[in-house]
Amino acid sequence: VTMGGSDPTERTPAVVRAFEGTAITVDAIVGPGFSPEQEEAVRTAAADTSAEIRVVRDPDGLVERMAAADFAVITASTTTYELLAAGTPLVSIPVAENQRLIASALRDRDIAIVLDPQADRAAIADAIKRYTTDPALRRQRRDRGRSLVDANGTMRVATALLGCR
């Protein structure tokens, strides 16, 4: 779970609580811009949830965590591209105006579960259940993500730029 470096809409506690009743281990990432009060709210939500929730502040090895995750619940931010390249299936929640295009593209390409910005805990829990009960869907989303974002974009740009000399 990562709702951004600072979670300005303070959605992380609700997302953490949506894992109630699941038998999975969840890393809830608290970014460097979280206030102490926001972090405490996430820790409280984790403690009140029956799932094993590990709250981690600004961790080293975030890319490795992304690649190892069965799926991620995120905002429709630039982290989307990192997770697609890692092949991590997404539950995406656009929380800012500039994220609507990313969410729309994900939905149009059937590459992620995209929720409405106002998604409540039940909607998030339903999305989590879809991924936890459907490994074929996770595989499909992993493959589609990797085919869209292959992590070779910088090489393509450099080749194109060098070819323009």
Side-chain angles (χ1 to χ4, degrees):
V1 172
T2 177
M3 302 306 285
S6 61
D7 191 11
T9 60
E10 299 185 347
R11 300 292 304 271
T12 305
V15 172
V16 164
R17 286 187 173 97
F19 283 90
E20 178 64 41
T22 65
I24 59 177
T25 301
V26 178
D27 286 344
I29 306 301
V30 174
F34 276 63
S35 70
E37 295 79 16
Q38 285 176 302
E39 181 175 353
E40 184 56 33
V42 174
R43 292 187 183 283
T44 298
D48 293 343
T49 303
S50 64
E52 183 181 341
I53 310 287
R54 300 181 298 206
V55 179
V56 185
R57 183 170 197 58
D58 196 20
D60 292 330
L62 186 57
V63 172
E64 291 81 7
R65 286 175 191 269
M66 290 178 180
D70 290 322
F71 66 93
V73 181
I74 65 166
T75 59
S77 62
T78 55
T79 302
T80 298
Y81 305 114
E82 296 167 315
L83 288 161
L84 291 173
T88 306
L90 308 173
V91 175
S92 179
I93 307 169
V95 297
E97 186 62 36
N98 67 332
Q99 296 178 2
R100 290 180 190 250
L101 286 174
I102 295 171
S104 178
L106 292 170
R107 185 179 286 122
D108 291 348
R109 289 173 173 83
D110 192 28
I111 206 164
I113 297 173
V114 180
L115 301 178
D116 291 330
Q118 303 81 16
D120 62 6
R121 179 176 158 185
I124 299 165
D126 285 346
I128 291 166
K129 184 176 181 180
R130 281 186 63 199
Y131 276 147
T132 59
T133 60
D134 192 345
L137 177 62
R138 290 195 315 271
R139 271 191 306 278
Q140 175 194 56
R141 297 285 169 78
R142 179 197 66 216
D143 295 344
R144 285 184 180 174
R146 285 183 176 157
S147 72
L148 182 65
V149 181
D150 63 8
N152 294 316
T154 54
M155 185 58 73
R156 284 192 294 275
V157 170
T159 300
L161 289 173
L162 292 173
C164 291
R165 286 185 172 186

